[in-house]
Amino acid sequence: MNSEIKNSQEQLVKLLDRIDQRLEKLSERMGIAHFNQLTGKEFEDMTVINSAVADVLLDPELSEVISHWNRQNLPGRLSRRVDLVNRRILMAKVENDKDLFEKLQPVQKKIIEFKASIDGQELSRSERGNILESNPDRGKREAAYFAGKELDKAIEDDVLNLMASRNELARKSGYPSYIE
């Protein structure tokens, strides 16, 4: 398989199309799972979906093919597609780290379950967002803004820990930091 794809841009395009289709379906499943979680409905285990994404992106053959083509002089759009898949592979190496993914889950849970207290009333994030976005009363908007600071404080240490873990994993992959 690799030799055929390594020698043909047409085969490379077909591979990229297949990868895009698989990732799009997984992204849709993840979006539905997130939506259902946010709305309190039963939702698919996101670790299963995350593992499926990792299976696609962390396939050693895919990595070898993308690495080969990433060093070639390709036409603009195809070069960009290869570069984007290469970046997704590198991000997947970090994001699909089991320990990192498990650290992320409690943070996401805190964010999802957070209820802002405004004038003695508990509001969901979307209700708070509506106040921030469209309430004509400046005092209410200000109260809604500062009510979100409670969440900031609640997740600050977790987020700093996640950032440090991502940076460490990126350095192991040869990058100075996760952002690079």
Side-chain angles (χ1 to χ4, degrees):
M1 176 182 103
N2 282 352
S3 61
E4 186 177 318
I5 295 172
K6 284 182 178 179
N7 293 320
S8 167
Q9 286 185 19
E10 183 180 321
Q11 291 299 316
L12 172 63
V13 168
K14 288 179 182 178
L15 171 68
L16 293 173
D17 288 344
R18 286 192 307 271
I19 297 300
D20 285 347
Q21 289 170 357
R22 290 176 68 191
L23 291 174
E24 187 174 331
K25 287 178 183 173
L26 291 167
S27 178
E28 185 177 306
R29 282 175 52 196
M30 186 67 84
I32 291 168
H34 276 289
F35 178 79
N36 287 343
Q37 183 182 34
L38 287 169
T39 57
K41 298 177 185 171
E42 191 172 315
F43 59 94
E44 184 175 359
D45 183 348
M46 288 177 258
T47 58
V48 171
I49 302 169
N50 200 49
S51 292
V53 170
D55 289 345
V56 171
L57 291 170
L58 300 179
D59 177 343
E61 287 186 16
L62 174 65
S63 189
E64 183 182 327
V65 167
I66 294 301
S67 178
H68 166 79
W69 281 107
N70 204 34
R71 295 186 303 267
Q72 306 302 313
N73 187 16
L74 295 168
R77 185 168 185 261
L78 184 54
S79 176
R80 179 70 176 148
R81 285 184 75 189
V82 169
D83 181 56
L84 289 173
V85 171
N86 188 54
R87 289 171 189 246
R88 294 269 328 253
I89 289 169
L90 295 172
M91 285 178 63
K93 288 178 181 177
V94 173
E95 290 298 319
N96 290 290
D97 179 82
K98 186 175 174 76
D99 293 334
L100 183 68
F101 190 76
E102 289 183 10
K103 288 178 184 178
L104 182 60
Q105 296 311 301
V107 176
Q108 288 179 328
K109 185 175 184 194
K110 286 178 186 177
I111 292 169
I112 289 167
E113 293 177 351
F114 177 73
K115 300 282 186 194
S117 180
I118 302 171
D119 297 332
Q121 182 181 8
E122 283 195 346
L123 302 174
S124 69
R125 286 186 18 208
S126 64
E127 291 168 325
R128 179 178 156 264
N130 288 338
I131 292 171
L132 288 168
E133 190 176 290
S134 60
N135 193 301
D137 181 342
R138 181 181 173 89
K140 273 252 196 229
R141 288 194 315 270
E142 188 174 288
Y145 173 80
F146 285 109
K149 297 298 178 187
E150 297 169 31
L151 175 61
D152 296 346
K153 290 176 192 166
I155 64 171
E156 181 178 11
D157 290 340
D158 295 328
V159 170
L160 291 173
N161 187 17
L162 277 170
M163 289 171 59
S165 296
R166 283 180 172 155
N167 284 332
E168 180 182 331
L169 289 167
R171 281 190 289 278
K172 287 179 182 177
S173 295
Y175 290 86
S177 70
Y178 176 72
I179 293 182
E180 304 293 324

